Amino acid sequence: MQEQKGFTLLEMMIAFALVGLLSVLGMMAYGRMQARAELAAAGDEIRAFMRQAREKSVAQIDNKTYGVIGNGAMVTFVDSNGTQLGRYQLRNLVTMSPSNWNYTFAK
């Protein structure tokens, strides 16, 4: 009897099934990681706008107040005249609740 070399069809099918399963699990983990990164970036940007609005309001160099407005998926940094000083568009993975809000800082 001759010795067999190579893999059987069943062994190959099991190997491909395992590789496919590991790939799916990896893609799911990557998607969750990407969503967490998006949320962290949005939080950092909103905190930066709020910090900047608070600092400018406390300094009151130009007698204006500053604020941050959230409207749906858009966060806007404004002064008391309504002039936009910065905008940040939230990605689809990030939603705000409540969707409309306004924070104004005064000295």
Side-chain angles (χ1 to χ4, degrees), residues 29-51:
Y30 178 74
R32 285 191 303 269
M33 181 188 69
Q34 190 175 15
R36 281 193 302 268
E38 293 272 344
L39 184 59
D44 290 344
E45 193 68 31
I46 292 169
R47 276 192 298 278
F49 280 166
M50 289 184 153
R51 186 177 316 113

Side-chain angles (χ1 to χ4, degrees), residues 1-106:
M1 190 154 157
Q2 214 172 21
E3 192 174 314
Q4 288 184 349
K5 294 183 180 181
F7 301 104
T8 65
L9 180 60
L10 181 61
E11 290 171 333
M12 292 296 286
M13 288 173 53
I14 291 172
F16 283 128
L18 288 174
V19 168
L21 179 64
L22 291 174
S23 297
V24 168
L25 292 175
M27 286 189 293
M28 290 171 47
Y30 178 74
R32 285 191 303 269
M33 181 188 69
Q34 190 175 15
R36 281 193 302 268
E38 293 272 344
L39 184 59
D44 290 344
E45 193 68 31
I46 292 169
R47 276 192 298 278
F49 280 166
M50 289 184 153
R51 186 177 316 113
Q52 196 174 8
R54 185 183 65 226
E55 289 170 359
K56 284 184 170 247
S57 293
V58 168
Q60 272 193 345
I61 296 168
D62 49 9
N63 292 326
K64 291 182 183 176
T65 57
Y66 295 86
V68 179
I69 299 171
N71 186 1
M74 182 68 64
V75 178
T76 310
F77 174 40
V78 296
D79 66 8
S80 56
N81 297 333
T83 305
Q84 292 183 4
L85 305 172
R87 284 181 90 136
Y88 185 73
Q89 175 73 40
L90 299 175
R91 304 270 192 314
N92 293 337
L93 300 172
V94 180
T95 57
M96 288 190 290
S97 179
S99 61
N100 296 317
W101 49 270
N102 182 356
Y103 289 103
T104 304
F105 298 91

